[in-house]
Amino acid sequence: MEVINLLEYLQEIFETSSKVPVMGKILVDKKEVMSIVDQIINSLPDELKKAQWVVEEKERILSEAIEEASNMKKESADMLKRQIENHDITKEAKIRAEEIIASAQRDAKSMRLGARDYADKILCELEKEINEKGQSMIINIKKEVEEFIQSLSNEVTTDLDTIRDNIKELRGMK
């Protein structure tokens, strides 16, 4: 507590010291302030050691209490588990749970098989539709290619006729 008294005394010196106008600063006796600071420094180690010891002791006690509580909780849970396992209601509940699980597994298997059949049916229909659409697309593409070739052939024939006419005209100019 000596440190607190010294800090309060230092605060009092700051509050009662002469003020320097406009600058917001104060004038203090350097020797007096340094003396108080030295006393604080000399007092701190003992009080810090005491505070450190108190903190370590608190941590140790808290750790022991947590460990003891954990052990008690585990022992209580084990005892309660043994009591529950030995009760008739628990035994009946286990039998009923096994029946429900078996029923759920049968239902799940039935649903899986139904889903597989449904998916197979849908995929077969999709394959058939894709084949039909593919054939239709191939026919349309063949038709468009034939029309393009015919159009190209007509243009080439027309261009060749024009070229032949031009050649005849050029030969006739001689």
Side-chain angles (χ1 to χ4, degrees):
M1 291 302 184
E2 183 181 340
V3 171
I4 293 175
N5 291 335
L6 290 170
L7 288 171
E8 288 174 350
Y9 180 59
L10 190 60
Q11 183 179 12
E12 183 180 318
I13 289 173
F14 291 147
E15 289 173 353
T16 60
S17 295
S18 302
K19 298 182 178 22
V20 176
V22 182
M23 296 185 74
K25 297 186 178 188
I26 59 171
L27 296 174
V28 292
D29 182 6
K30 181 179 179 179
K31 288 182 183 178
E32 184 180 11
V33 171
M34 290 306 291
S35 171
I36 294 171
V37 169
D38 286 340
Q39 290 177 29
I40 290 172
I41 289 171
N42 291 332
S43 297
L44 277 178
D46 291 339
E47 290 189 14
L48 284 176
K49 289 177 186 174
K50 288 178 188 175
Q52 179 71 28
W53 180 82
V54 168
V55 168
E56 289 172 358
E57 199 59 21
K58 179 192 93 166
E59 291 296 325
R60 183 188 62 78
I61 292 170
L62 184 60
S63 176
E64 288 176 2
I66 289 172
E67 185 178 341
E68 188 175 332
S70 176
N71 290 338
M72 290 174 65
K73 182 179 174 183
K74 184 179 178 185
E75 289 173 8
S76 296
D78 290 343
M79 184 176 73
L80 185 61
K81 186 177 178 183
R82 284 191 301 273
Q83 289 176 347
I84 290 172
E85 286 175 352
N86 293 331
H87 199 274
D88 288 339
I89 294 174
T90 305
K91 291 176 184 176
E92 290 176 22
K94 284 182 182 178
I95 292 170
R96 181 69 181 126
E98 289 172 1
E99 291 172 356
I100 291 172
I101 289 171
S103 174
Q105 287 173 339
R106 284 191 303 271
D107 291 346
K109 183 176 182 179
S110 173
M111 284 182 196
R112 277 193 310 271
L113 293 175
R116 188 182 315 148
D117 291 344
Y118 176 74
D120 188 48
K121 177 183 170 190
I122 294 296
L123 290 174
C124 286
E125 290 174 4
L126 180 62
E127 180 183 20
K128 180 180 174 185
E129 187 174 335
I130 288 173
N131 285 335
E132 290 173 0
K133 297 285 184 185
Q135 289 300 321
S136 174
M137 287 174 63
I138 289 171
I139 290 170
N140 286 337
I141 289 171
K142 282 182 180 179
K143 181 179 174 185
E144 288 176 6
V145 167
E146 287 173 0
E147 289 173 359
F148 174 75
I149 290 172
Q150 184 62 41
S151 170
L152 185 63
S153 176
N154 289 342
E155 285 180 27
V156 168
T157 303
T158 302
D159 290 344
L160 280 175
D161 289 343
T162 303
I163 291 172
R164 286 185 188 124
D165 289 343
N166 288 341
I167 290 172
K168 285 180 186 176
E169 187 177 317
L170 285 174
R171 286 184 183 161
M173 288 171 66
K174 289 183 182 177

